[in-house]
Amino acid sequence: MQLLSRRSRYVKNIILETENRAHELISQGRKIVKLNRGDPPHYFPTPKYIIDAYIDALKEGKTFYSKAAGEKELKDAVIGRYDRMYGAQLNEEDVIITAGVSEALLFINNMLLDPGDKAVLFRPYYAQYIPRIEVEGGRVVAGRYEMESGWKLDLDGLERKLKKTGRQKGRIKYMMITNPHNPTGNVLRRKELTRLADIANEHGIVLVSDEIYDEIVYNGAKFTSMAEVARGMPHIILNGVSKNYLSTGFRVGFMIVPGEDKASVVLKKKLADYALLRLCINTPAQFAAAEAMNNTKEHGKSIKYIVKEISKRVNYSVMMLRENEHISVVAPNGSFYLLPKLDFSRLDFRSDKEFVETALNEYGVQLTRGSGFGEPSHFRIVALPPVETLDYAIRQINRMCEEHSRGMKAMATAKRKAIDENAPAAI
Ligand SMILES: Cc1ncc(COP(=O)(O)O)c(C=O)c1O
């Protein structure tokens, strides 16, 4: 008898695939610089005013099951944030609180996809979108970001693809946009968002916009929320406290369905039903998340500091990577990821997997391979650690590429020094 369901084979997380090996190396005394996980509190502690609010909630006995779709205090805080930042007028029913955007993705895919249905993603995509679609028996229609144009969306290509796909079996149910983008750091311009909304409207596709990095924007870019351009058509905005509010471990996210059209009303009602299935999310964390958003004075200070620091770290990493002739990289202007491209014609690695395994095992740097994001010629760097750590790690990457230049390997192995000598403390 087959114990596991067939669909369970799609459950995986490529960002964490080297985690066991990294822990093994660390337990052997090796220093590993972890550039694989976008977890800001390791480098930017959760602000004290948020921690205090969490402790207060616990002391005040807010440890009961909350309302399934979220406590009123938190919904009001979300409504206030979207009014302040994007001029959106939301009601309580428009907001569904989830255990992070991650849970929102589970709800959305289960709610919208029957086997054979399709979702439009743009490659490279956030790795975690894929297993959720596959588990539902859904299929991905892949639009493209193009590296040659500085990771711009290929919207003409998308229109051509949708025309073709429209004639095939299986309905396209939703289009997922990630803005600011993980893993390229691209921030979409208002013009592009408007065109995306028009395309989705024309094809009757629900727009889902993951805006979890909406305040982490720099290098002169300006962020526009899909909530500002998709008014009057069905769309779902995803966000949470993980990144902007440095609270990944709280597991608090939210979905917003602002529309009053027929489809939007059906969507928000059904999403609230999904919330009922798991009773509620962490109650004290909801009160802390409400304070995180309501205390604009403290948040203003925190976000200003982290955006300045992150842009410094990202830009430094770009500069260091550009010293490596085997790698090309586009400078991000949002989030904190970089997705450099490897020139395999000049390197002796057979795949991105071999590249990241060598980086971890021999050079002490933990990266994520590009295949997980749909780009097997690339790898992803999380540019959150301090500049000195990034400096060390990227020097290691650059050294590795030099030592693995085609024809260089034999010579390099002979001259390589012990690699851990100059490593900063493990993180
Ligand atoms: C684009 C994107 N969406 C969602 C998530 C997960 O968010 P959450 O912590 O709210 O589940 C991440 C985490 O890295 C992300 O990069």
Coordinates of all heavy atoms in Angstrom, one line a residue, residues 289-356:
A289 N 1.5 42.7 16.7 CA 1.5 43.2 15.3 C 0.7 44.4 15.1 O 1.1 45.3 14.3 CB 1.0 42.1 14.4
A290 N -0.4 44.5 15.9 CA -1.2 45.8 15.8 C -0.4 47.0 16.3 O -0.4 48.0 15.6 CB -2.5 45.6 16.7
E291 N 0.3 46.8 17.4 CA 1.1 47.9 17.9 C 2.3 48.2 16.9 O 2.6 49.4 16.7 CB 1.7 47.5 19.3 CG 2.7 48.5 19.9 CD 2.1 49.9 20.2 OE1 0.9 50.1 20.0 OE2 2.9 50.8 20.5
A292 N 2.8 47.1 16.3 CA 3.9 47.4 15.3 C 3.5 48.3 14.2 O 4.2 49.2 13.9 CB 4.3 46.0 14.7
M293 N 2.2 48.2 13.8 CA 1.7 49.1 12.7 C 1.2 50.4 13.2 O 1.4 51.4 12.6 CB 0.6 48.3 11.9 CG 1.2 47.3 11.0 SD -0.1 46.4 10.1 CE 0.2 44.7 10.6
N294 N 0.6 50.4 14.4 CA 0.0 51.6 14.9 C 1.0 52.6 15.4 O 0.8 53.8 15.3 CB -1.0 51.3 16.1 CG -2.3 50.7 15.6 OD1 -2.7 50.8 14.4 ND2 -2.9 49.9 16.4
N295 N 2.1 52.2 15.9 CA 3.1 53.1 16.5 C 4.0 53.6 15.3 O 5.1 53.1 15.1 CB 3.9 52.4 17.6 CG 4.7 53.4 18.4 OD1 5.0 54.5 17.9 ND2 5.0 53.0 19.6
T296 N 3.4 54.5 14.6 CA 4.1 55.0 13.4 C 5.4 55.7 13.7 O 6.4 55.7 12.9 CB 3.2 55.9 12.5 OG1 2.7 56.9 13.4 CG2 2.1 55.1 11.9
K297 N 5.5 56.3 14.9 CA 6.7 57.0 15.3 C 7.9 56.1 15.4 O 8.9 56.2 14.8 CB 6.4 57.8 16.6 CG 7.5 58.8 16.9 CD 7.1 59.8 18.0 CE 8.3 60.4 18.6 NZ 8.4 60.3 20.0
E298 N 7.6 55.0 16.3 CA 8.7 54.0 16.5 C 9.0 53.3 15.2 O 10.2 53.0 14.9 CB 8.3 53.0 17.6 CG 8.3 53.6 19.0 CD 9.7 54.1 19.4 OE1 10.7 53.5 19.0 OE2 9.8 55.2 20.0
H299 N 8.0 52.9 14.5 CA 8.2 52.2 13.2 C 9.0 53.0 12.2 O 9.9 52.5 11.5 CB 6.9 51.7 12.6 CG 7.1 51.0 11.3 ND1 7.9 49.9 11.1 CD2 6.7 51.4 10.0 CE1 7.9 49.5 9.9 NE2 7.3 50.4 9.2
G300 N 8.6 54.3 12.2 CA 9.3 55.2 11.2 C 10.8 55.2 11.5 O 11.6 55.1 10.5
K301 N 11.2 55.2 12.7 CA 12.7 55.2 13.1 C 13.3 53.9 12.6 O 14.4 53.9 12.0 CB 12.8 55.4 14.6 CG 12.7 56.8 15.1 CD 13.1 57.0 16.5 CE 12.0 56.8 17.5 NZ 12.2 56.9 18.9
S302 N 12.6 52.8 13.0 CA 13.1 51.5 12.7 C 13.3 51.3 11.2 O 14.4 50.8 10.7 CB 12.2 50.4 13.3 OG 12.4 49.2 12.7
I303 N 12.3 51.6 10.4 CA 12.3 51.3 9.0 C 13.4 52.1 8.3 O 14.0 51.7 7.4 CB 10.9 51.3 8.3 CG1 10.9 50.7 7.0 CG2 10.4 52.7 8.2 CD1 10.9 49.2 7.0
K304 N 13.5 53.4 8.8 CA 14.5 54.3 8.1 C 15.9 53.7 8.3 O 16.7 53.7 7.4 CB 14.4 55.6 8.8 CG 15.1 56.7 8.1 CD 14.7 58.1 8.6 CE 15.7 59.1 8.1 NZ 15.9 60.2 9.0
Y305 N 16.1 53.2 9.5 CA 17.4 52.6 9.8 C 17.7 51.4 9.0 O 18.7 51.3 8.4 CB 17.6 52.3 11.3 CG 18.8 51.6 11.6 CD1 20.1 52.1 11.6 CD2 18.7 50.2 12.0 CE1 21.2 51.4 11.9 CE2 19.8 49.5 12.3 CZ 21.1 50.1 12.2 OH 22.2 49.3 12.4
I306 N 16.7 50.5 9.0 CA 17.0 49.2 8.3 C 17.1 49.4 6.8 O 17.9 48.8 6.1 CB 16.0 48.1 8.6 CG1 14.6 48.3 8.2 CG2 16.1 47.7 10.1 CD1 13.8 47.0 8.2
V307 N 16.3 50.3 6.2 CA 16.4 50.5 4.7 C 17.8 51.1 4.4 O 18.4 50.7 3.4 CB 15.3 51.4 4.2 CG1 15.5 51.8 2.8 CG2 13.9 50.7 4.4
K308 N 18.3 52.0 5.2 CA 19.6 52.6 5.0 C 20.7 51.5 5.1 O 21.5 51.4 4.2 CB 19.9 53.7 6.0 CG 21.1 54.5 5.8 CD 21.1 55.7 6.7 CE 22.4 55.8 7.4 NZ 22.5 55.6 8.8
E309 N 20.6 50.7 6.1 CA 21.6 49.6 6.3 C 21.5 48.6 5.2 O 22.5 48.1 4.7 CB 21.3 48.9 7.7 CG 22.0 49.6 8.8 CD 23.6 49.7 8.6 OE1 24.2 48.6 8.3 OE2 24.1 50.7 8.8
I310 N 20.3 48.2 4.9 CA 20.1 47.1 3.9 C 20.6 47.6 2.5 O 21.4 46.9 1.8 CB 18.6 46.7 3.8 CG1 18.3 45.8 5.0 CG2 18.4 45.9 2.5 CD1 16.8 45.4 5.1
S311 N 20.3 48.9 2.2 CA 20.8 49.4 0.9 C 22.3 49.4 0.8 O 22.9 49.0 -0.2 CB 20.2 50.7 0.5 OG 20.6 51.7 1.5
K312 N 22.9 49.7 2.0 CA 24.4 49.8 2.1 C 24.9 48.3 1.8 O 25.9 48.1 1.1 CB 24.8 50.3 3.5 CG 26.2 50.8 3.6 CD 26.4 51.6 4.8 CE 26.6 50.7 6.0 NZ 26.6 51.4 7.3
R313 N 24.3 47.4 2.5 CA 24.8 46.0 2.4 C 24.6 45.4 1.0 O 25.5 44.7 0.5 CB 24.1 45.1 3.5 CG 24.4 45.6 4.9 CD 23.7 44.9 6.0 NE 23.9 45.7 7.2 CZ 23.7 45.3 8.5 NH1 23.3 44.0 8.7 NH2 23.9 46.0 9.5
V314 N 23.4 45.7 0.4 CA 23.1 45.2 -0.9 C 24.1 45.8 -1.9 O 24.7 45.1 -2.7 CB 21.7 45.5 -1.3 CG1 21.4 45.3 -2.8 CG2 20.7 44.7 -0.5
N315 N 24.3 47.1 -1.8 CA 25.1 47.8 -2.8 C 26.6 47.4 -2.7 O 27.3 47.3 -3.7 CB 25.0 49.3 -2.7 CG 23.6 49.8 -3.2 OD1 22.9 49.1 -3.9 ND2 23.1 51.0 -2.7
Y316 N 27.0 47.2 -1.5 CA 28.4 46.7 -1.2 C 28.5 45.3 -1.9 O 29.5 45.0 -2.6 CB 28.7 46.6 0.3 CG 30.1 46.3 0.5 CD1 31.1 47.3 0.5 CD2 30.5 45.0 0.8 CE1 32.4 47.0 0.7 CE2 31.8 44.6 1.0 CZ 32.8 45.6 0.9 OH 34.1 45.3 1.1
S317 N 27.5 44.5 -1.7 CA 27.6 43.1 -2.3 C 27.7 43.2 -3.8 O 28.5 42.4 -4.4 CB 26.4 42.3 -1.9 OG 26.2 42.2 -0.5
V318 N 26.9 44.1 -4.4 CA 26.9 44.2 -5.9 C 28.3 44.6 -6.3 O 28.9 44.0 -7.2 CB 25.9 45.3 -6.3 CG1 26.1 45.6 -7.8 CG2 24.5 44.8 -6.1
M319 N 28.9 45.6 -5.6 CA 30.2 46.1 -6.0 C 31.3 44.9 -5.9 O 32.0 44.7 -6.8 CB 30.6 47.2 -5.0 CG 31.9 47.9 -5.3 SD 32.3 48.9 -4.0 CE 33.1 47.7 -2.8
M320 N 31.2 44.1 -4.8 CA 32.1 43.0 -4.7 C 31.9 41.9 -5.7 O 32.9 41.4 -6.2 CB 31.9 42.3 -3.3 CG 32.4 43.2 -2.1 SD 34.1 43.3 -2.0 CE 34.6 41.6 -1.7
L321 N 30.7 41.7 -6.0 CA 30.4 40.6 -7.0 C 30.9 41.0 -8.4 O 31.2 40.2 -9.3 CB 28.9 40.3 -7.1 CG 28.4 39.4 -5.9 CD1 26.9 39.5 -5.7 CD2 28.9 38.0 -6.0
R322 N 30.8 42.3 -8.7 CA 31.2 42.8 -10.0 C 32.7 42.7 -10.2 O 33.2 42.9 -11.3 CB 30.7 44.3 -10.2 CG 29.2 44.2 -10.4 CD 28.7 45.5 -11.0 NE 27.3 45.3 -11.3 CZ 26.3 46.2 -11.3 NH1 26.6 47.4 -10.8 NH2 25.1 45.9 -11.6
E323 N 33.5 42.4 -9.1 CA 34.9 42.1 -9.3 C 35.1 40.7 -9.9 O 36.3 40.4 -10.2 CB 35.6 42.3 -8.0 CG 35.7 43.7 -7.5 CD 36.4 43.8 -6.1 OE1 36.9 42.8 -5.6 OE2 36.3 44.9 -5.6
N324 N 34.1 39.9 -9.9 CA 34.2 38.5 -10.3 C 33.8 38.4 -11.8 O 32.6 38.7 -12.2 CB 33.3 37.7 -9.4 CG 33.4 36.2 -9.7 OD1 33.7 35.8 -10.8 ND2 33.0 35.4 -8.7
E325 N 34.8 38.0 -12.6 CA 34.4 38.0 -14.1 C 33.6 36.8 -14.5 O 33.2 36.7 -15.7 CB 35.7 38.1 -14.9 CG 36.7 37.1 -14.6 CD 38.0 37.2 -15.3 OE1 38.3 38.3 -15.8 OE2 38.7 36.2 -15.5
H326 N 33.4 35.9 -13.6 CA 32.5 34.7 -13.9 C 31.1 34.9 -13.6 O 30.3 34.0 -13.7 CB 33.0 33.5 -13.2 CG 34.5 33.2 -13.4 ND1 35.5 33.7 -12.7 CD2 35.0 32.4 -14.4 CE1 36.6 33.3 -13.2 NE2 36.4 32.5 -14.2
I327 N 30.8 36.1 -13.0 CA 29.5 36.4 -12.5 C 28.9 37.7 -13.1 O 29.7 38.7 -13.2 CB 29.5 36.5 -10.9 CG1 29.6 35.1 -10.3 CG2 28.4 37.2 -10.3 CD1 29.8 35.1 -8.8
S328 N 27.6 37.8 -13.4 CA 27.1 39.1 -13.7 C 25.9 39.3 -12.7 O 25.2 38.3 -12.3 CB 26.6 39.2 -15.1 OG 25.9 38.0 -15.5
V329 N 25.6 40.5 -12.3 CA 24.6 40.8 -11.3 C 23.9 42.1 -11.7 O 24.5 43.1 -12.1 CB 25.2 40.8 -9.9 CG1 26.3 41.9 -9.7 CG2 24.1 40.9 -8.8
V330 N 22.6 42.1 -11.4 CA 21.8 43.4 -11.6 C 21.6 44.0 -10.2 O 21.3 43.2 -9.2 CB 20.4 43.1 -12.2 CG1 19.6 44.3 -12.2 CG2 20.6 42.5 -13.6
A331 N 21.9 45.3 -10.0 CA 21.7 45.9 -8.7 C 20.2 46.0 -8.4 O 19.4 46.5 -9.1 CB 22.3 47.3 -8.7
P332 N 19.8 45.4 -7.2 CA 18.4 45.5 -6.8 C 18.1 46.9 -6.3 O 18.9 47.7 -5.9 CB 18.4 44.5 -5.6 CG 19.7 43.8 -5.5 CD 20.7 44.7 -6.2
N333 N 16.8 47.2 -6.2 CA 16.3 48.4 -5.5 C 15.2 48.2 -4.6 O 14.5 49.1 -4.1 CB 16.0 49.5 -6.5 CG 15.2 49.1 -7.7 OD1 14.6 48.0 -7.6 ND2 15.1 49.9 -8.7
G334 N 15.0 46.9 -4.2 CA 14.1 46.6 -3.1 C 14.4 45.2 -2.6 O 15.2 44.5 -3.1
S335 N 13.7 44.8 -1.5 CA 14.0 43.6 -0.7 C 15.5 43.5 -0.3 O 16.2 44.5 -0.3 CB 13.5 42.4 -1.5 OG 14.4 42.0 -2.5
F336 N 16.0 42.3 -0.1 CA 17.5 42.3 0.3 C 18.1 41.1 -0.4 O 19.0 40.4 0.2 CB 17.6 42.3 1.8 CG 16.5 41.5 2.5 CD1 16.4 40.2 2.5 CD2 15.6 42.3 3.3 CE1 15.4 39.5 3.2 CE2 14.6 41.6 4.0 CZ 14.5 40.2 4.0
Y337 N 17.7 40.7 -1.6 CA 18.3 39.6 -2.3 C 19.0 40.0 -3.5 O 18.7 41.0 -4.1 CB 17.1 38.6 -2.7 CG 16.3 38.2 -1.5 CD1 15.0 38.8 -1.3 CD2 16.7 37.2 -0.7 CE1 14.2 38.5 -0.2 CE2 15.9 36.8 0.4 CZ 14.6 37.4 0.6 OH 13.8 37.1 1.7
L338 N 20.0 39.1 -3.9 CA 20.6 39.3 -5.2 C 20.6 38.0 -5.9 O 20.7 36.9 -5.2 CB 22.1 39.7 -5.0 CG 22.4 41.0 -4.4 CD1 23.1 40.8 -3.0 CD2 23.2 41.8 -5.3
L339 N 20.5 38.0 -7.2 CA 20.4 36.8 -8.0 C 21.5 36.8 -9.1 O 21.2 37.0 -10.3 CB 19.0 36.6 -8.6 CG 18.7 35.2 -9.1 CD1 18.5 34.2 -8.0 CD2 17.5 35.2 -10.0
P340 N 22.8 36.6 -8.7 CA 23.8 36.7 -9.7 C 23.7 35.5 -10.7 O 23.2 34.4 -10.3 CB 25.1 36.6 -8.9 CG 24.7 36.9 -7.5 CD 23.3 36.4 -7.4
K341 N 24.2 35.7 -11.9 CA 24.2 34.7 -12.9 C 25.7 34.2 -13.1 O 26.6 34.9 -13.0 CB 23.8 35.3 -14.2 CG 23.7 34.3 -15.4 CD 23.1 35.1 -16.6 CE 23.2 34.3 -17.8 NZ 22.7 33.3 -18.3
L342 N 25.8 32.9 -13.2 CA 27.1 32.2 -13.3 C 27.4 32.0 -14.8 O 26.5 31.6 -15.6 CB 27.1 30.9 -12.6 CG 26.9 30.9 -11.1 CD1 26.5 29.5 -10.6 CD2 28.2 31.4 -10.5
D343 N 28.6 32.2 -15.2 CA 29.0 32.0 -16.6 C 29.6 30.5 -16.6 O 30.8 30.3 -16.4 CB 30.1 33.0 -17.0 CG 30.5 32.8 -18.4 OD1 30.0 31.7 -19.0 OD2 31.2 33.6 -19.0
F344 N 28.7 29.6 -16.8 CA 29.1 28.1 -16.8 C 30.1 27.8 -17.9 O 30.9 26.8 -17.7 CB 27.9 27.2 -16.9 CG 27.2 27.0 -15.5 CD1 25.9 27.5 -15.3 CD2 27.8 26.4 -14.5 CE1 25.3 27.4 -14.1 CE2 27.2 26.2 -13.3 CZ 25.9 26.7 -13.1
S345 N 30.2 28.6 -18.9 CA 31.2 28.3 -20.0 C 32.6 28.5 -19.5 O 33.6 28.0 -20.0 CB 30.9 29.2 -21.2 OG 31.3 30.5 -20.9
R346 N 32.7 29.3 -18.4 CA 34.1 29.6 -17.9 C 34.4 28.9 -16.5 O 35.4 29.2 -15.9 CB 34.3 31.1 -17.8 CG 34.0 31.7 -19.2 CD 34.1 33.2 -19.1 NE 35.4 33.7 -18.7 CZ 35.7 34.9 -18.4 NH1 34.7 35.8 -18.4 NH2 36.9 35.3 -18.1
L347 N 33.4 28.2 -16.0 CA 33.5 27.6 -14.7 C 33.5 26.0 -14.9 O 32.8 25.5 -15.8 CB 32.4 28.0 -13.8 CG 32.5 29.5 -13.3 CD1 31.1 29.9 -12.7 CD2 33.6 29.7 -12.3
D348 N 34.1 25.3 -14.0 CA 34.1 23.9 -14.1 C 33.0 23.2 -13.3 O 33.0 22.0 -13.1 CB 35.5 23.2 -13.8 CG 35.9 23.4 -12.4 OD1 35.0 23.8 -11.6 OD2 37.0 23.1 -12.1
F349 N 32.0 24.0 -12.9 CA 30.8 23.4 -12.2 C 29.8 22.9 -13.3 O 29.7 23.5 -14.3 CB 30.1 24.4 -11.3 CG 30.9 24.9 -10.2 CD1 31.4 26.2 -10.3 CD2 31.3 24.1 -9.1 CE1 32.2 26.7 -9.3 CE2 32.1 24.6 -8.1 CZ 32.6 25.9 -8.2
R350 N 29.2 21.7 -13.0 CA 28.2 21.2 -13.9 C 26.9 21.8 -13.7 O 26.0 21.7 -14.6 CB 28.2 19.7 -13.8 CG 29.3 19.0 -14.6 CD 29.3 17.5 -14.3 NE 29.3 17.4 -12.8 CZ 30.1 16.6 -12.1 NH1 31.0 15.9 -12.8 NH2 30.1 16.5 -10.8
S351 N 26.6 22.3 -12.5 CA 25.2 22.8 -12.2 C 25.3 23.7 -11.1 O 26.3 23.8 -10.3 CB 24.4 21.6 -11.8 OG 24.8 21.1 -10.6
D352 N 24.2 24.5 -10.9 CA 24.1 25.4 -9.8 C 24.1 24.6 -8.4 O 24.6 25.1 -7.4 CB 22.8 26.3 -9.9 CG 21.5 25.5 -9.9 OD1 21.6 24.3 -10.2 OD2 20.5 26.0 -9.6
K353 N 23.7 23.4 -8.5 CA 23.6 22.5 -7.3 C 25.1 22.3 -6.8 O 25.4 22.4 -5.6 CB 22.9 21.2 -7.5 CG 22.7 20.4 -6.3 CD 21.6 19.3 -6.6 CE 21.1 18.6 -5.4 NZ 22.1 17.6 -5.0
E354 N 25.9 21.9 -7.8 CA 27.3 21.6 -7.5 C 28.0 22.9 -7.0 O 28.8 22.9 -6.1 CB 28.0 21.1 -8.7 CG 29.4 20.5 -8.4 CD 30.1 20.1 -9.7 OE1 29.4 19.7 -10.7 OE2 31.3 20.1 -9.7
F355 N 27.6 24.0 -7.6 CA 28.2 25.3 -7.2 C 27.8 25.6 -5.7 O 28.7 25.9 -4.9 CB 27.6 26.4 -8.1 CG 28.0 27.8 -7.7 CD1 29.2 28.3 -8.2 CD2 27.2 28.6 -6.9 CE1 29.7 29.6 -7.8 CE2 27.7 29.9 -6.6 CZ 28.9 30.4 -7.0
V356 N 26.6 25.5 -5.3 CA 26.2 25.8 -3.9 C 26.8 24.8 -2.9 O 27.1 25.1 -1.8 CB 24.7 26.1 -3.7 CG1 24.2 27.2 -4.5 CG2 23.9 24.8 -3.9

